[in-house]
Amino acid sequence: MMRPFLAILRLTLRESFARRTFQAFLAISSIVALLFLFALNLDIVDGMQSAISLFGFELEQQVNLSRFVTQMEGAITILLFSGGIFMSLFATSSLIPSLLQPGIIDLYIAKPVSRPLILTARWLGGILIVAINITYLILSTWLIISLKSGIWNSGYLLALFPILLAFTALFTFMTFVGLISANGPLSLMLTYAIIFFSPLLMQRDEIYALLSAKIYSYLLDGLYYILPKMAEMGALSMKLTLHNEITDGWVLFHAAGFVLVLGLINLVIFQRKNF
Amino acid sequence: MPIIEISGLSKTYQRGKLRAVDNLSLAVEKGTVFSLLGPNGAGKTTLIKILLSLTHATSGQASIFNLPVNDTNIHRRIGYLSENHRFPEFLNPLQVLTHFGAMSDLEPGHLKNKIPLVIEFVGLKGWEKVKIKKFSKGMRQRLGIAHALLNDPEILFLDEPTDGIDPVGRKEIRDLILKLKNDGCTIFMNSHLLSEVERISDIVVIMKNGKILRQGTVDQFTEVQNQYELQLQSNHLSPALDGLISSWNLQPQPGLNRWLLQTGGTDSLNRCIDDLRRADIRIEALVPKKISLEDYFIDVVGE
């Protein structure tokens, strides 16, 4: 069963190549990496910085080099967590709905392959495309910054995992909506809504005071405990990069649980679907 | 022994309000060309989709090779050309066949030998490395057939195989289907082109509103009982013919010396032949009157 599985995975990658989304993603990552390669200049004497310039601007005040590097990497982490995931979802939003189109899904199901295997391979293909791109961006910027500064911040590399897990959770949700609606734009909009409402749900204690009925607080609590906690996961990636104390590691387990449960629901929906 | 068996099969939508397939039972014998006919919404495509496990039946049983249709192992032994299939436009035929060959779990070594054969078989030689987006509808259809033949299927499901294909292409596909049949392949076909169905089918099923209206051979459907077309040789017409025309009530047909003979049975047919021969009228041809499958179909679905 590995051969059909790999065939679907390969075609998913090929499809994103054909749509130029993969190349666009790689190009943006390369531009970011090149910016750091050419725009960041550090003059280091005996392990201490004597001058730092970024994009041609000399930083006048004395900055701790290690702090400067981790903060710069923290900025990339936040950029990746917000913009990177946003773009990744956009790039992969049509993967599931396009598979479900009449004339395409027929060709797959009529092969000696189980439905769960078809969906899993397609879903993994989407994650693989994003994982390759995000890993490429983090690794390349990490190498450039570390080689230039001599500071090898492993926390920045670890931030890759919450970012990928956050994307995986959102992509699983997008797959869920895609399976039900077969509508790429709708699944994308609803997934973006999770990202948008996540910081609000994190602050739900403040919102309770504004609500007239108790039912709304139950609703907010329900959404908070069910949906992946994007705001908390973003904060967690920053903490990993900045080497701050991690107190909310449970959000990772929550996201993994969300992926597992919703992933299984997706398989059941796909298994029972009529085409 | 039937290769496909369907018993009491039903598929309903909208909580039972719409019955796409309604308590349908049939059996398909190995090595036959089996065709489904019916107006739009008759349930033909739904039936094929149930057999291929694309759609789940609401009730009843369906089996292929004695296995329930939801067993994916069946798909190793069948080929399917879906209506309006859409291969990835960015691939060429070689890549499409390699991909779907791998999807069929075929060995790369086997595929390497098989792909050139099916490409040649469907007449796409020389187009192997041209992107599909440049293909005409007919070429896409040929590629669809090639993909369905990769695993040497024992049953080939064809949903509108000649749709969008020009007359020459249709003849080629017809020849291809007959060749596959001669090789022992069972063809399960759904087509709107009744003239095609008439030419190649062994068994025809006419469906309407999810039910079978008629099932039989093309000859059973098109033959008109006790009616014959009579062609007489024009240089051997006898003056006695006028009398015979009125006594046998021969009806003139389009063409020279062509008549329609209606008899009460074989005995009366033979008496008519005897009368004609006694009057020294030469019979050039005598063929049972047939109507086209299309006429029969329209009569049946219009009932």
Side-chain angles (χ1 to χ4, degrees):
Chain A
M1 276 298 99
M2 273 314 279
R3 200 174 289 127
F5 185 84
L6 291 175
I8 299 173
L9 212 59
R10 207 165 32 239
L11 190 75
T12 309
L13 292 176
R14 230 176 197 167
E15 194 176 317
S16 70
F17 261 113
R19 286 183 183 160
R20 311 268 180 223
T21 49
F22 197 91
Q23 290 96 317
F25 220 136
L26 274 181
I28 291 168
S29 302
S30 301
I31 289 167
V32 172
L34 287 171
L35 275 177
F36 279 94
L37 184 65
F38 295 114
L40 175 67
N41 285 307
L42 298 166
D43 289 327
I44 297 164
V45 181
D46 295 332
M48 296 291 287
Q49 90 290 356
S50 59
I52 299 174
S53 77
L54 186 60
F55 299 111
F57 296 103
E58 195 92 12
L59 299 183
E60 287 177 7
Q61 71 223 58
Q62 275 296 102
V63 186
N64 175 293
L65 180 64
S66 169
R67 203 167 150 219
F68 174 75
V69 166
T70 51
Q71 282 183 343
M72 197 163 50
E73 288 172 338
I76 304 170
T77 305
I78 281 299
L79 194 78
L80 259 179
F81 199 89
S82 50
I85 289 182
F86 193 86
M87 275 172 45
S88 304
L89 288 169
F90 184 79
T92 52
S93 63
S94 62
L95 281 181
I96 299 297
S98 69
L99 172 76
L100 303 179
Q101 283 178 19
I104 294 176
I105 189 67
D106 320 33
L107 297 170
Y108 282 84
I109 293 184
K111 298 294 171 209
V113 187
S114 70
R115 288 190 183 203
L117 191 131
I118 294 170
L119 185 67
T120 307
R122 187 73 167 177
W123 174 80
L124 267 179
I127 293 168
L128 193 63
I129 293 160
V130 173
I132 290 169
N133 277 297
I134 292 181
T135 307
Y136 168 68
L137 179 56
I138 287 195
L139 263 181
S140 57
T141 50
W142 179 75
L143 269 175
I144 290 166
I145 295 169
S146 301
L147 284 170
K148 283 200 162 192
S149 68
I151 291 166
W152 300 82
N153 177 15
S154 58
Y156 179 51
L157 287 181
L158 287 176
L160 178 71
F161 297 103
I163 294 172
L164 275 182
L165 187 57
F167 169 77
T168 305
L170 292 171
F171 185 60
T172 308
F173 179 77
M174 200 157 70
T175 302
F176 170 72
V177 181
L179 280 175
I180 292 172
S181 67
N183 185 328
L186 179 72
S187 54
L188 187 63
M189 278 194 292
L190 289 177
T191 311
Y192 281 160
I194 292 185
I195 302 175
F196 179 75
F197 285 112
S198 186
L200 295 176
L201 289 174
M202 194 166 74
Q203 304 295 325
R204 69 197 187 289
D205 289 341
E206 279 77 28
I207 300 171
Y208 290 158
L210 306 169
L211 300 174
S212 53
K214 191 79 179 159
I215 184 90
Y216 296 120
S217 59
Y218 291 139
L219 184 71
L220 285 179
D221 272 348
L223 286 174
Y224 177 74
Y225 287 111
I226 291 170
L227 296 175
K229 281 144 218 15
M230 299 308 294
E232 286 91 334
M233 286 174 82
L236 181 82
S237 339
M238 268 300 274
K239 285 176 187 169
L240 279 169
T241 307
L242 300 176
H243 288 284
N244 289 346
E245 190 189 354
I246 310 288
T247 53
D248 46 4
W250 65 274
V251 294
L252 296 179
F253 292 103
H254 178 276
F258 178 84
V259 169
L260 191 71
V261 172
L262 195 60
L264 286 173
I265 292 172
N266 286 344
L267 292 180
V268 171
I269 293 171
F270 190 62
Q271 180 68 34
R272 299 178 65 168
K273 206 169 171 64
N274 289 317
F275 294 104
Chain B
M1 190 176 165
I3 200 165
I4 299 173
E5 282 179 287
I6 297 168
S7 167
L9 199 74
S10 292
K11 175 67 188 173
T12 59
Y13 293 101
Q14 297 168 9
R15 296 184 181 184
K17 286 179 196 161
L18 180 70
R19 299 188 78 82
V21 174
D22 193 359
N23 195 25
L24 194 140
S25 298
L26 58 84
V28 179
E29 295 293 330
K30 192 175 187 298
T32 52
V33 178
F34 187 97
S35 296
L36 289 177
L37 293 180
N40 289 335
K44 310 179 299 286
T45 298
T46 305
L47 178 59
I48 287 190
K49 283 184 170 183
I50 292 172
L51 291 175
L52 291 161
S53 201
L54 279 156
T55 292
H56 306 292
T58 310
S59 61
Q61 273 98 43
S63 65
I64 300 175
F65 308 123
N66 268 330
L67 295 168
V69 286
N70 58 4
D71 187 334
T72 53
N73 282 317
I74 290 171
H75 299 174
R76 292 181 188 280
R77 299 164 65 187
I78 64 171
Y80 173 47
L81 172 71
S82 71
E83 190 184 10
N84 302 321
H85 57 271
R86 290 164 57 191
F87 293 121
E89 300 264 306
F90 52 88
L91 298 182
N92 61 40
L94 214 54
Q95 291 165 329
V96 164
L97 296 175
T98 306
H99 170 70
F100 284 101
M103 286 288 301
S104 296
D105 207 14
L106 298 174
E107 296 283 341
H110 171 78
L111 269 180
K112 205 176 169 185
N113 296 327
K114 186 74 187 174
I115 289 172
L117 294 178
V118 291
I119 281 184
E120 189 164 1
F121 190 64
V122 298
L124 282 179
K125 201 170 178 193
W127 293 88
E128 297 94 325
K129 292 185 178 170
V130 178
K131 290 259 164 67
I132 294 169
K133 61 184 169 195
K134 293 183 179 166
F135 276 25
S136 66
K137 169 87 179 159
M139 290 166 83
R140 284 166 198 250
Q141 202 72 350
R142 284 160 197 256
L143 181 60
I145 293 173
H147 126 276
L149 296 177
L150 271 177
N151 57 336
D152 297 315
E154 290 169 55
I155 306 176
L156 189 59
F157 289 89
L158 302 171
D159 201 354
E160 302 293 352
T162 51
D163 192 27
I165 293 185
D166 59 37
V168 177
R170 281 209 295 272
K171 187 192 177 303
E172 285 172 4
I173 289 177
R174 203 166 60 225
D175 293 345
L176 194 149
I177 290 172
L178 290 173
K179 185 181 181 311
L180 287 167
K181 184 200 161 189
N182 289 337
D183 291 345
C185 183
T186 306
I187 314 285
F188 193 103
M189 187 170 69
N190 169 16
S191 176
H192 274 114
L193 276 171
L194 284 93
S195 55
E196 301 299 319
V197 170
E198 187 170 355
R199 286 176 192 209
I200 56 176
S201 303
D202 296 312
I203 301 289
V204 176
V205 160
I206 300 178
M207 288 179 70
K208 189 181 175 185
N209 298 329
K211 291 178 191 269
I212 293 178
L213 296 181
R214 298 281 192 283
Q215 177 172 352
T217 62
V218 173
D219 284 345
Q220 284 171 340
F221 288 167
T222 56
E223 218 169 79
V224 180
Q225 284 290 306
N226 300 325
Q227 284 192 17
Y228 301 88
E229 280 182 344
L230 191 62
Q231 168 85 55
L232 305 176
Q233 207 172 47
S234 53
N235 54 357
H236 273 85
L237 291 180
S238 143
L241 181 63
D242 288 342
L244 288 171
I245 287 170
S246 60
S247 62
W248 283 101
N249 194 23
L250 297 177
Q251 303 293 319
Q253 296 293 294
L256 193 62
N257 293 317
R258 291 167 68 94
W259 304 89
L260 178 69
L261 168 66
Q262 192 153 6
T263 64
T266 319
D267 289 345
S268 115
L269 169 69
N270 280 286
R271 276 201 310 278
C272 177
I273 295 168
D274 291 344
D275 287 353
L276 288 166
R277 294 300 299 127
R278 260 196 303 274
D280 200 25
I281 297 168
R282 284 200 178 174
I283 300 168
E284 209 165 67
L286 180 70
V287 287
K289 164 111 174 126
K290 284 191 173 186
I291 57 165
S292 69
L293 186 62
E294 190 174 343
D295 289 338
Y296 181 79
F297 172 78
I298 289 167
D299 282 350
V300 169
V301 296
E303 278 172 3

